Amino acid sequence: MDLIEMDFQNAVKAADELEQIAKNLHTLADSRFQSCLSGIAANWKGENAAAFCKKGSIVGDHILDSASDLRNAAQTLREMARNLYEAEKKNYEIAKNREI
């Protein structure tokens, strides 16, 4: 039973780490990246500047999408870990009762 509990805790920890990475990516894309693009737009003029900022904005959107995907993966991992944990606990109890 200890191994089942340890596996569950490891899965939850991995999901927490994914969630933290998603949070960091979101912060990066939402504030730092946008302020960087604003600085570039303020100091660089012309067609190339506009094209660069447009592509930079697309990259920022992709980063936000990746952060969202990581959050979803973390949630799925938590759900799967909980389901597996519950199933393994039931199996453990069934096996334990057979021994009696």
Side-chain angles (χ1 to χ4, degrees):
M1 188 66 189
D2 289 339
L3 185 58
I4 294 170
E5 185 70 34
M6 226 168 40
D7 286 345
F8 176 70
Q9 293 302 324
N10 287 338
V12 170
K13 183 179 175 187
D16 290 344
E17 289 173 5
L18 282 176
E19 189 76 38
Q20 185 61 45
I21 292 167
K23 182 180 176 184
N24 292 344
L25 276 177
H26 189 273
T27 300
L28 175 71
D30 204 30
S31 61
R32 291 182 185 174
F33 195 74
Q34 291 304 322
S35 68
C36 179
L37 285 178
S38 296
I40 290 170
N43 293 300
W44 185 18
K45 303 298 179 197
E47 288 180 33
N48 289 337
F52 181 86
C53 288
K54 184 177 178 180
K55 288 181 181 181
S57 181
I58 292 169
V59 169
D61 290 342
H62 286 297
I63 293 171
L64 289 173
D65 290 344
S66 294
S68 178
D69 290 344
L70 282 173
R71 279 194 184 98
N72 291 338
Q75 182 61 32
T76 300
L77 179 57
R78 283 187 187 98
E79 290 172 11
M80 291 173 61
R82 171 61 60 190
N83 292 340
L84 184 60
Y85 175 74
E86 294 298 329
E88 287 182 342
K89 273 187 5 182
K90 285 180 185 177
N91 289 338
Y92 175 80
E93 290 301 320
I94 290 169
K96 186 176 167 185
N97 289 335
R98 283 186 188 160
E99 292 175 4
I100 295 176

